[in-house]
Amino acid sequence: MRIAYGVMGYGRGHSTRSMAVLSSLAREHDVTVFAGGDAHSMLAPHFPTVEIPSLGYAHGGAGGVTFAATVARNAGLAAELMFGGASLRNVVDEFRRRDVELVISDSEAFCHRAARRLGIPRISFDHVGVIAWCKPHFPPNLAWRGRRDGWGYRTLMGEPDRVIISSFYPAQPMKPSTRMVGPMLRREVHAITPRSGEHLLAYFNRGHLQYSARIENVLRQVDAPIRIYGTSFEGTRENLEFRPIDPVAFLHDVAAARAVIATAGNQLIGELLHFRKPILALPERVFEQQLNAWMVERMGIGRASGLDTLTVDDVAVFLGELDACAARTEGYGTDGTPEALDLLRRFIDELRDEREHTRPRTATFDSVR
């Protein structure tokens, strides 16, 4: 089939999850990726890719995400999505030109909307759908935000024909057409044998905004070498070593770390569970990451603090619990990639058959005689 695979451009988790299945799908189908932002940078070197606009979060002080600024930043693109502006028309035209027969989307709204406009079947395959398509499992103090974000996700994406949700923690789908799988683990992850080194690893998905003087002051007081990814800095400062983003080097450093201090992306936490590495989660001020951090504490696989509230005591308590947290990672982190690929193949076949059965038949001489 001719498949359009949409990937949200904010952050690296969407791209990483997509890469776990794209190579297999591309061997079986004619796949074109539609992505912008970080996703386009990561995927374009490996797959045929069309660059499209990308929705994303807006940040305020200390790198924190602000709801009002995010709404303002995305207002124009959201209006194009809802009312059919130029950006959406361009995606629709690309779908027509490529004769796209099916859409798979990882939180990418333009592909969802273009598919709905053209009557193309679609599969949602991401993590954020856990908020929209599963029964609520939210912390009480954030429940209203979970309901708000679930509504916003459904409004932007619409209701797909099938849903696959990848998550490091279990949740209960609301419909039989929604299926849960574990974290997506790339081949590079499986190729690395974890060990316990002396260093800690710190990662910030928007380090140029999130890595503050406060964070650095806390990390400098930790009695351990720390390898830091995601900032714009280079070199070494006391116990801190700043490293450039390199997906393979990053995985090797994660696999050899004592533990990880990082923003609370679902994909990263899934990979940490595979390597059995505890995490001190510093969620962005967005509900999905705050939910992830809450689940980290509920599962006992780490602790949670904040990008603008982290203290030396937070790190000390976390380091004192590493053995217990590492022990609790056992049984989690099962690779969901094989099951996700099986589900994608099954859903693709089902939707292809449904489309064939509902497509109007071409009239023949006998049928009109």
Side-chain angles (χ1 to χ4, degrees):
M1 289 187 83
R2 291 176 294 278
I3 296 174
Y5 199 116
V7 185
M8 183 181 182
Y10 180 87
R12 298 176 179 86
H14 301 277
S15 306
T16 302
R17 176 171 43 246
S18 299
M19 287 184 76
V21 299
L22 269 170
S23 294
S24 295
L25 287 178
R27 286 193 294 268
E28 302 165 12
H29 302 278
D30 180 2
V31 179
T32 302
V33 174
F34 286 72
D38 298 322
H40 183 270
S41 300
M42 288 185 68
L43 297 172
H46 307 285
F47 304 98
T49 304
V50 174
E51 187 167 13
I52 61 175
S54 183
L55 299 168
Y57 295 109
H59 296 75
V65 172
T66 62
F67 179 75
T70 296
V71 171
R73 170 186 165 173
N74 293 290
L77 283 179
E80 291 195 46
L81 277 168
M82 302 300 289
F83 305 112
S87 296
L88 179 59
R89 290 196 299 271
N90 289 340
V91 177
V92 169
D93 289 344
E94 282 289 339
F95 281 13
R96 285 181 173 140
R97 189 172 71 82
R98 296 169 185 273
D99 196 17
V100 169
E101 300 173 281
L102 180 121
V103 166
I104 302 171
S105 175
D106 189 317
S107 301
E108 205 298 297
F110 282 97
C111 287
H112 270 300
R113 287 271 168 175
R116 188 171 75 170
R117 174 170 288 200
L118 295 173
I120 298 172
R122 53 203 166 109
I123 300 170
S124 173
F125 177 33
D126 59 24
H127 169 67
V128 187
V130 76
I131 298 171
W133 308 118
C134 291
K135 293 184 178 179
H137 50 285
F138 309 146
N141 63 317
L142 296 175
W144 71 272
R145 293 185 62 187
R147 291 191 293 270
R148 179 199 69 191
D149 285 13
W151 173 84
Y153 177 94
R154 290 188 296 270
T155 300
L156 280 177
M157 308 295 172
E159 185 166 355
D161 300 278
R162 303 287 191 279
V163 175
I164 304 172
I165 298 169
S166 169
S167 178
F168 72 88
Y169 63 84
Q172 186 175 355
M174 290 189 287
K175 295 183 178 181
S177 58
T178 299
R179 301 293 298 274
M180 297 286 300
V181 299
M184 298 292 100
L185 301 182
R186 297 164 284 165
R187 288 174 304 200
E188 294 88 345
V189 172
H190 288 290
I192 299 173
T193 301
R195 60 185 179 85
S196 185
E198 294 299 318
H199 70 274
L200 303 175
L201 183 139
Y203 169 71
F204 304 90
N205 67 349
R206 284 290 184 274
H208 63 291
L209 297 169
Q210 299 159 341
Y211 189 76
S212 63
R214 176 194 182 91
I215 293 281
E216 175 152 327
N217 181 57
V218 169
L219 296 183
R220 281 189 178 187
Q221 296 180 64
V222 177
D223 186 21
I226 303 177
R227 298 175 187 176
I228 301 176
Y229 282 85
T231 78
S232 57
F233 299 114
E234 298 179 355
T236 301
R237 301 177 191 168
E238 299 179 13
N239 64 318
L240 310 182
E241 181 184 352
F242 298 91
R243 297 197 164 192
I245 285 293
D246 178 309
V248 176
F250 175 78
L251 284 177
H252 280 278
D253 278 345
V254 167
R258 288 170 57 198
V260 172
I261 302 169
T263 43
N266 172 79
Q267 183 64 29
L268 174 62
I269 297 171
E271 293 180 351
L272 296 183
L273 284 171
H274 171 78
F275 289 130
R276 300 191 65 183
K277 304 295 180 181
I279 180 173
L280 176 54
L282 309 178
E284 295 185 87
R285 278 195 227 112
V286 296
F287 176 77
E288 185 241 337
Q289 286 217 1
Q290 291 172 325
L291 176 59
N292 290 341
W294 186 66
M295 292 302 301
V296 162
E297 291 206 323
R298 287 196 70 187
M299 294 162 64
I301 58 175
R303 281 197 163 260
S305 182
L307 287 164
D308 53 357
T309 61
L310 181 69
T311 66
V312 176
D313 286 344
D314 290 336
V315 180
V317 170
F318 170 62
L319 295 179
E321 298 176 347
L322 291 187
D323 289 343
C325 291
R328 294 189 197 103
T329 63
E330 189 168 1
Y332 294 110
T334 302
D335 187 2
T337 306
E339 185 179 3
L341 279 169
D342 286 344
L343 285 169
L344 283 170
R345 291 180 180 117
R346 184 201 308 174
F347 288 167
I348 289 169
D349 288 343
E350 289 175 358
L351 293 171
R352 176 168 47 200
D353 290 345
E354 289 176 11
R355 194 178 189 196
E356 288 296 325
H357 290 147
T358 58
R359 182 179 296 171
R361 294 184 178 181
T362 303
T364 65
F365 177 77
D366 286 339
S367 65
V368 298
R369 187 170 49 182

